[in-house]
């Protein structure tokens, strides 16, 4: 996508052309987030699900709050302010990064016509809805709506960073949203990212671990017994399992390349076996 944008910027030479192009890209980005947030909720409802808790992984799905409000007011006859209270208390928001690229903003004049019908359907003034994405100190003169601010506001009961340190950084970064509180009282907690071990490792490695490690090794991998058992794994068996995984990866990659290139690269003077070699 970055290369495509650079190519388009080359085509649209001049400041006016670049402004036009960047505006087009930003609007398409807004379309994506409307589809993810509002469309996502509507799709779940259409399939017969009625989610009681919704998790926003960064602000990209932040507009789901509007879809939930509209659903509670229009379909379940909630009073708008009661619906807002329900959404506040049953949303979860995870912030991932303190850099601007991970904290999407949209021009207020761009989002207003898109959000208007959903705000009206939920029984709220559009300017009030937009204000949920603007820090209190910036209201009245802000030109952009922040999806991170919107997400934090619409998940007043539970927001989190993705590590202990990131929780501290996030509380300091967003303290201006709660000007009456100390940094320690900012309601952004933390979790620590991890993986589901059985899904993360290959089946071959899993079989090897089952043979040599304690019975419940996947449930408590930080235990001292686990570390000791890892050291006892036979090097040659571990390396053999690794090599089998590599061969499997190469086979799958070759099949994918053969399919994606519609007939393969042999007709272009090359061989897959020469491009993907197992000993490199």
């Amino acid at each position: 996508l970055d290369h495509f944008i650079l190519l388009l910027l080359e085509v649209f030479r001049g400041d006016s052309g670049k402004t036009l192009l960047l505006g087009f890209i930003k609007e398409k980005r807004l379309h994506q987030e409307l589809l993810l947030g509002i469309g996502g909720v509507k799709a779940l409802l259409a399939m017969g699900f009625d989610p009681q808790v919704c998790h926003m992984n960064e602000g990209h799905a932040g507009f789901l709050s509007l879809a939930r409000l509209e659903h509670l007011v229009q379909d379940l006859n909630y009073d708008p302010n009661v619906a807002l209270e329900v959404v506040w208390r049953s949303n979860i928001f995870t912030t991932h990064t303190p850099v601007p690229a991970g904290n999407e903003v949209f021009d207020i004049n761009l989002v207003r016509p898109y959000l208007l019908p959903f705000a009206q359907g939920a029984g709220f003034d559009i300017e009030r809805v937009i204000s949920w994405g603007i820090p209190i100190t910036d209201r009245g003169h802000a030109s952009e709506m922040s999806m991170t601010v919107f997400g934090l506001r619409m998940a007043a009961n539970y927001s989190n960073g993705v590590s202990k340190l990131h929780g501290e950084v996030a509380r300091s970064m967003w303290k201006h949203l709660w000007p009456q509180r100390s940094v320690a009282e900012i309601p952004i907690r933390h979790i620590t990212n991890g993986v589901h071990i059985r899904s993360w490792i290959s089946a071959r490695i899993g079989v090897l671990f089952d043979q040599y490690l304690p019975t419940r090794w996947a449930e408590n991998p930080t235990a001292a017994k686990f570390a000791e058992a890892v050291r006892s794994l036979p090097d040659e068996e571990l390396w053999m399992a690794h090599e089998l995984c590599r061969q499997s990866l190469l086979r799958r990659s070759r099949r994918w390349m053969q399919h994606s290139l519609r007939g393969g690269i042999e007709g272009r003077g090359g061989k897959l076996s020469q491009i993907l070699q197992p000993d490199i």
Side-chain angles (χ1 to χ4, degrees), residues 22-74:
L22 292 174
F24 169 79
I25 294 171
K26 198 69 174 178
E27 187 167 18
K28 290 303 176 186
R29 182 66 172 173
L30 175 60
H31 292 173
Q32 292 175 333
E33 299 200 1
L34 288 166
L35 181 63
L36 176 63
I38 294 176
V41 171
K42 289 184 175 292
L44 288 172
L45 293 172
M47 290 188 289
F49 296 101
D50 189 5
Q52 302 303 300
V53 176
C54 289
H55 175 223
M56 296 170 280
N57 199 27
E58 292 196 297
H60 309 307
F63 292 127
L64 68 81
S65 295
L66 271 180
R68 295 192 71 197
L69 287 171
E70 184 187 46
H71 167 61
L72 291 174
V73 172
Q74 294 293 326

Side-chain angles (χ1 to χ4, degrees), residues 94-133:
T94 297
T95 177
H96 280 267
T97 172
V99 300
N103 297 278
E104 192 85 65
V105 295
F106 293 107
D107 186 275
I108 289 173
N109 293 324
L110 174 63
V111 300
R112 184 181 286 110
Y114 286 101
L115 301 188
L116 180 60
F118 301 104
Q120 291 176 336
F124 291 99
D125 178 76
I126 181 59
E127 300 307 323
R128 183 183 178 189
V129 170
I130 290 174
S131 73
W132 295 335

Side-chain angles (χ1 to χ4, degrees), residues 192-205:
T192 298
N193 274 352
V195 297
H196 180 256
I197 296 175
R198 283 286 188 183
S199 303
W200 185 256
I201 64 173
S202 71
R204 291 187 178 95
I205 298 294

